[in-house]
Amino acid sequence: GQQLNQSPQSMFIQEGEDVSMNCTSSSIFNTWLWYKQEPGEGPVLLIALYKAGELTSNGRLTAQFGITRKDSFLNISASIPSDVGIYFCAGPNYGGSQGNLIFGKGTKLSVKP
Amino acid sequence: KAGVTQTPRYLIKTRGQQVTLSCSPISGHRSVSWYQQTPGQGLQFLFEYFSETQRNKGNFPGRFSGRQFSNSRSEMNVSTLELGDSALYLCASTRDNQETQYFGPGTRLLVL
């Protein structure tokens, strides 16, 4: 079945540094979603990508939908302490069903002030 | 516009009991999906409801069930609770036929 592989699993960075994380799959996705989850809360949608090659920004966040449709990356520029959390990529489960997202295992980001 | 709301936020139950969790979607969203999140398995799809009908179901035992009401609010029920059911239960809503889902804050269930 479809799987999403996220890397790295965790990152420890200094405030002000840029961050890059990615998500790959052996299957094609037509939509890529990036979420951030903070402790005790639900995932919050950061960026949605709908077209191969698309590059979308949301403030200091930039995400791209890979040309092969099998990967996506998320960059965070000039990180700040409130960027701490777990970042998930997700895509629709075409093998299954409507309303069913597949999630990567997440990248845990820690920012040192 | 109000986001997805879930109640209760926290719940403690004992093995063998049953539990009902509630989710109110964003106004105008008719699709509600439920997920279970655990440290070991990550986010896993439970089921999805649209217009009061379960359209899709993940690979969970029949102890996990749900329903949706005419106002799109949804409930999920877990019967005969097991220790392994301890998890964060998330619901998400979406507009018709769209893939972008918006999540609620979750219900943290602890089974003792």
Side-chain angles (χ1 to χ4, degrees):
Chain A
Q2 291 173 287
Q3 284 189 352
L4 292 177
N5 303 303
Q6 267 188 268
S7 63
Q9 277 190 306
S10 61
M11 303 181 76
F12 296 85
I13 61 167
Q14 197 77 32
E15 182 178 359
E17 288 183 356
D18 296 343
V19 172
S20 185
M21 60 190 79
N22 68 74
C23 195
T24 61
S25 173
S26 57
S27 307
I28 286 174
F29 281 82
N30 290 325
T31 299
W32 286 92
L33 306 170
W34 284 94
Y35 290 89
K36 177 189 177 188
Q37 187 176 27
E38 297 183 25
E41 298 296 329
V44 173
L45 181 68
L46 298 174
I47 293 179
L49 301 162
Y50 301 106
K51 192 175 172 183
E54 180 182 357
L55 185 72
T56 298
S57 293
N58 177 6
R60 293 178 296 106
L61 277 60
T62 302
Q64 183 157 29
F65 191 144
I67 289 290
T68 64
R69 294 195 285 156
K70 293 183 178 181
D71 61 349
S72 177
F73 71 75
L74 175 70
N75 286 344
I76 305 173
S77 63
S79 58
I80 58 178
S82 62
D83 290 333
V84 165
I86 302 177
Y87 292 79
F88 292 98
C89 61
N93 180 354
Y94 297 114
S97 44
Q98 187 94 26
N100 176 359
L101 290 179
I102 295 174
F103 283 81
K105 295 293 187 187
T107 293
K108 186 175 182 180
L109 179 64
S110 302
V111 179
K112 191 175 178 182
Chain B
K1 193 184 268 191
V4 177
T5 58
Q6 291 186 246
T7 57
R9 291 293 310 274
Y10 305 93
L11 209 45
I12 300 176
K13 292 285 188 180
T14 55
R15 278 182 300 175
Q17 286 187 308
Q18 73 163 13
V19 68
T20 299
L21 313 180
S22 180
C23 172
S24 291
I26 292 171
S27 176
H29 288 192
R30 292 195 293 166
S31 169
V32 174
S33 297
W34 288 89
Y35 295 82
Q36 181 195 66
Q37 186 177 28
T38 58
Q41 299 298 319
L43 278 140
Q44 293 186 290
F45 174 73
L46 280 156
F47 28 65
E48 185 253 358
Y49 286 85
F50 179 81
S51 288
E52 302 178 64
T53 301
Q54 185 184 88
R55 285 200 295 197
N56 301 295
K57 192 174 189 304
N59 296 324
F60 279 82
R63 298 185 298 107
F64 292 82
S65 63
R67 59 178 176 167
Q68 187 179 34
F69 302 94
S70 58
N71 61 358
S72 296
R73 189 176 71 85
S74 177
E75 289 180 348
M76 67 164 281
N77 184 278
V78 188
S79 62
T80 319
L81 283 165
E82 300 176 0
L83 295 179
D85 296 334
S86 295
L88 181 66
Y89 290 89
L90 294 159
C91 86
S93 74
T94 188
R95 290 189 180 278
D96 302 0
N97 300 318
Q98 290 196 4
E99 291 166 332
T100 305
Q101 295 185 11
Y102 298 89
F103 284 82
T107 294
R108 172 75 63 184
L109 172 65
L110 178 61
V111 182
L112 300 175

